[in-house]
Amino acid sequence: MTLTEKILARASGKATVQAGDNVWVSADILMTHDVCGPGTIGVFKREFGKTAKVWDKNKIVIIPDHYIFTADSLSNRNVDILRDFVREQGLPYFYDVIDDPNGQWKFDTTKGLLNRQYGSRYAGVCHTALPQKGHTRPGEILFGTDSHTCMAGAFNEFATGIGNTDAGFVMGAGKLLLKVPPTMHFRLEGKMQPGVMAKDIILHCIGEIGFDGATYRAMQFDGEGARHLSIDDRMTVANMAIEAGGKNGIFEFDEQTRAFVDYRCKLNGTKADYQPVERDADEKFIYEMVVDLSKLEPTVACHPDPGQRKLAKDMSTVKLDRAYVGSCTGGKTSDFLEFARVLNGKRVMIDTFGVPATPEIVHDLQTARWGEKTVWQILVDAGVQMTENAGCSACLGGPVDTFGRMNKPLVCISATNRNFPGRMGHKESKVFLASPATVAASALTGHVTDPREYLS
Amino acid sequence: MQSVFTGPVYVVRDNIDTDQIISAQYLNLVPTIQEEYKKLGSYALAGLPDSLYPTRYVKEGQMESNYPIVIGGRNFGCGSSREHAPIALGAAKCRIVLAESFARIFFRNCVATGELYPCECADRLCDVLKTGDVVTVDLDKATVTVKETGKVYSFKALGDVRPVVDAGGLFNYARKTGMMPAST
């Protein structure tokens, strides 16, 4: 069995499963957020009853992150709906925007968009917050009401996005009927050259198989090259499995995984025991591809879909209006460090926005020093508009007052994960996806630029 | 259950993602609140660029669409897992989406909510039909007939999906078939 099949077999209580089997799978974690949580709660109450209790309160994680720093009253209300539900059910894992469990969330526009407006428990973008808060464990099943839930496959678990109705069912029943997906095998070899990042790996793979090349399938990333990737890098790769239509992306378990997961579970006092899955000798794959990481170059996915692959070096004629670094995919500490490495001591030519995925990343950037300055200050001095209000922000457009949202038909290069028409706001705007390093180099020139031009 | 649907079609191309079906800015609406459910319908497919789709799916000021059948190309419903997407189409009174292929989560959300029938047709109907053409879809026979030409195309039968959508989604189906208690 493949890694995905082994996890699904275990979670459905079967000795073996194979691609195409329909199995009832027990959930280890159900995650939801402010955009789909209220609807999921609505389905749960409608179907299981107004006084029903969730199947296991320790297995539900609620992370408001999407439409937080907006004056939109319905969006503010949605965070309050989550809080009411958490109080009623006694759920321990709710990363609220405010500290008062009986309060109401209201974004104060007079304080501006850049300065922090959240309490001590707020965790930021759900997919980045889940591992930081110790909710991703090898061998487990994670369901989330968000397509990028597949990011947690970086931790050797089965993680996939589901809709509100399915999530409402899981909330009450703790399980879900799934079809076992066939596995596509991506064997990674070698090491990335300077200027190349994990984003380039996944954009390369999606370009190879196409925007729907993994529909109904699992994407397994392994091999020597995968073992050399950092946890952040694995998260970036797994995150975008959905951009090829994949059901999940998954990595092998190793010492890096163990160290990260053990530390994070301990830090937040979450469940610390887990059982990883290892590769079998008899894995059957529906597709195989070898990726030599040493041959990859800075890669871009052009408007209007993540499968429109080109090399950054061939795109210097593409003029840009703005640049954006942020989101689950591209807003991690390591992403901002590479962004800063290119921008250090220089000045951006176009409007450039930086949105760290989580408050912890804000803290990292505000405390990490390169010489006299913090990384945060280096970015601000380079002309980047950095906000402390960690969250999904303009990656998915959001309400019109969202930080960095394109409210005009502009062209943006972005370290985010999706670029269908209108994704970052105005429906005639265009998004080009690239690594934080490529976004940085492009911000310096105002056109798509290979970051290797700026490596000393 | 109704098996035959006749009406004008609304035609879109490949890769219509969930942002184009329901723009992210309207995700502040909660589908299980009735008034907000209806509003979602009024925004169905409003995320399509005007430059490519000058005719709106739901006319300005209306809550429902005049097109009960949507014709799509490859990978219809790709992108996010937002259930608001099939719900917006259903609330706008779309009954059927006939596409060359569907993205996985959208297909599943159509079935789970029972909002509409997602039918896969190997023929690229989006190359054959134009918005406003009238067709008759017969779910029992798995055929679509174009009124003007009389031409008949077959699509993949819905199989086990059909009774779930007929029942109005996963929970209603589970109750109807005894998988869940009839009422809570």
Side-chain angles (χ1 to χ4, degrees), chain A residues 39-51:
Chain A
T40 297
I41 292 164
V43 169
F44 170 73
K45 287 185 173 272
R46 184 183 72 206
E47 303 295 344
F48 289 94
K50 283 198 169 66
T51 56

Side-chain angles (χ1 to χ4, degrees), chain A residues 2 4-5 19 181-185 218-220 284-287:
Chain A
T2 66
T4 297
E5 289 159 358
T183 297
M184 299 174 83
H185 185 207
M219 297 171 81
Q220 178 171 317
K284 285 193 185 68
F285 299 115
I286 194 168
Y287 171 91

Side-chain angles (χ1 to χ4, degrees), chain A residues 47 67 72 77-78 145-147 160 163-166 177 211-212 247 396 405 418 420 423 427-428, chain B residues 15 17 19 24-25 28 30 36 46 48 50-51 74-75 79-81 83 104 108-109 171 175 184:
Chain A
E47 303 295 344
Y67 302 167
D72 176 63
R77 171 207 65 179
N78 289 346
T145 59
D146 191 291
S147 62
T160 197
N164 295 357
T165 301
D166 279 342
L177 181 63
F211 54 75
D212 59 355
K247 190 167 196 157
L396 78 162
R405 186 183 195 273
R418 193 167 277 160
F420 295 110
R423 169 70 178 176
K427 57 189 182 179
E428 304 285 353
Chain B
N15 276 333
D17 80 311
D19 272 286
Q25 69 185 104
N28 57 1
V30 176
E36 296 180 24
L48 293 169
D50 300 326
S51 53
R74 204 168 131 190
N75 205 25
S80 93
S81 60
E83 201 164 279
R104 182 183 57 84
R108 179 152 180 148
N109 285 343
F171 283 97
R175 291 208 173 86
T184 49

Side-chain angles (χ1 to χ4, degrees), chain A residues 30-87:
Chain A
L30 172 69
M31 186 281 300
T32 190
H33 50 50
D34 56 295
V35 159
C36 293
T40 297
I41 292 164
V43 169
F44 170 73
K45 287 185 173 272
R46 184 183 72 206
E47 303 295 344
F48 289 94
K50 283 198 169 66
T51 56
K53 290 286 175 195
V54 300
W55 106 98
D56 187 337
K57 60 185 185 179
N58 289 312
K59 293 184 175 177
I60 292 177
V61 180
I62 300 186
I63 310 181
D65 60 352
H66 274 60
Y67 302 167
I68 309 301
F69 309 106
T70 168
D72 176 63
S73 60
L74 286 179
S75 298
N76 292 172
R77 171 207 65 179
N78 289 346
V79 181
D80 296 339
I81 292 176
L82 298 178
R83 188 178 311 103
D84 291 346
F85 183 70
V86 164
R87 196 172 47 234

Side-chain angles (χ1 to χ4, degrees), chain A residues 160-445:
Chain A
T160 197
I162 58 176
N164 295 357
T165 301
D166 279 342
F169 185 85
V170 175
M171 203 171 246
K175 58 185 179 178
L176 194 62
L177 181 63
L178 287 188
K179 187 184 286 247
V180 178
T183 297
M184 299 174 83
H185 185 207
F186 299 81
R187 197 173 85 235
L188 311 185
E189 290 180 348
K191 282 186 182 171
M192 292 183 286
Q193 299 286 325
V196 178
M197 297 184 68
K199 184 64 164 288
D200 300 306
I201 303 175
I202 189 63
L203 291 180
H204 176 78
C205 293
I206 298 169
E208 204 64 28
I209 62 175
F211 54 75
D212 59 355
T215 299
Y216 284 98
R217 294 173 172 182
M219 297 171 81
Q220 178 171 317
F221 300 91
D222 57 39
E224 201 55 38
R227 280 192 282 282
H228 290 137
L229 295 179
S230 70
I231 291 291
D232 274 9
D233 287 347
R234 297 177 195 182
M235 287 168 70
T236 302
V237 172
N239 176 283
M240 289 186 66
I242 183 65
E243 305 311 329
K247 190 167 196 157
N248 66 309
I250 192 160
F251 277 80
E252 282 184 276
F253 174 81
D254 63 9
E255 277 310 310
Q256 273 200 80
T257 329
R258 184 197 308 277
F260 182 98
V261 170
D262 289 356
Y263 171 67
R264 291 294 170 165
C265 290
K266 196 174 168 196
L267 198 65
N268 202 30
T270 52
K271 178 172 161 283
D273 60 308
Y274 54 84
Q275 260 193 301
V277 284
E278 287 175 2
R279 292 187 62 190
D280 281 349
D282 68 344
E283 293 169 300
K284 285 193 185 68
F285 299 115
I286 194 168
Y287 171 91
E288 301 212 42
M289 173 178 165
V290 177
V291 184
D292 183 347
L293 301 184
S294 69
K295 297 228 169 77
L296 294 182
E297 297 186 79
T299 302
V300 177
C302 304
H303 171 83
D305 75 71
Q308 304 290 324
R309 180 182 66 183
K310 279 191 183 166
L311 293 178
K313 67 180 183 188
D314 299 332
M315 292 183 64
S316 58
T317 55
V318 177
K319 286 210 170 351
L320 302 163
D321 300 305
R322 62 169 59 179
Y324 186 99
V325 166
S327 80
C328 44
T329 323
K332 302 180 290 312
T333 299
S334 57
D335 295 313
F336 278 97
L337 294 181
E338 291 311 307
F339 186 47
R341 211 179 301 285
V342 176
L343 292 184
N344 195 359
K346 304 184 183 70
R347 188 89 195 157
V348 298
M349 269 189 54
I350 52 178
D351 288 341
T352 303
F353 301 84
V355 188
T358 70
E360 185 177 316
I361 296 166
V362 173
H363 178 263
D364 285 351
L365 301 174
Q366 291 182 339
T367 49
R369 284 185 176 274
W370 288 353
E372 296 290 293
K373 291 183 185 175
T374 65
V375 172
W376 188 276
Q377 195 59 46
I378 286 168
L379 289 168
V380 170
D381 289 350
V384 181
Q385 298 180 57
M386 293 292 296
T387 180
E388 293 179 327
N389 287 321
C392 299
S393 204
C395 169
L396 78 162
V400 289
D401 60 348
T402 300
F403 180 71
R405 186 183 195 273
M406 289 197 278
N407 290 325
K408 289 189 290 191
L410 303 173
V411 180
C412 179
I413 188 157
S414 179
T416 54
N417 46 33
R418 193 167 277 160
N419 63 340
F420 295 110
R423 169 70 178 176
M424 293 184 72
H426 195 282
K427 57 189 182 179
E428 304 285 353
S429 62
K430 292 180 179 169
V431 178
F432 291 78
L433 303 175
S435 75
T438 303
V439 172
S442 305
L444 292 173
T445 61

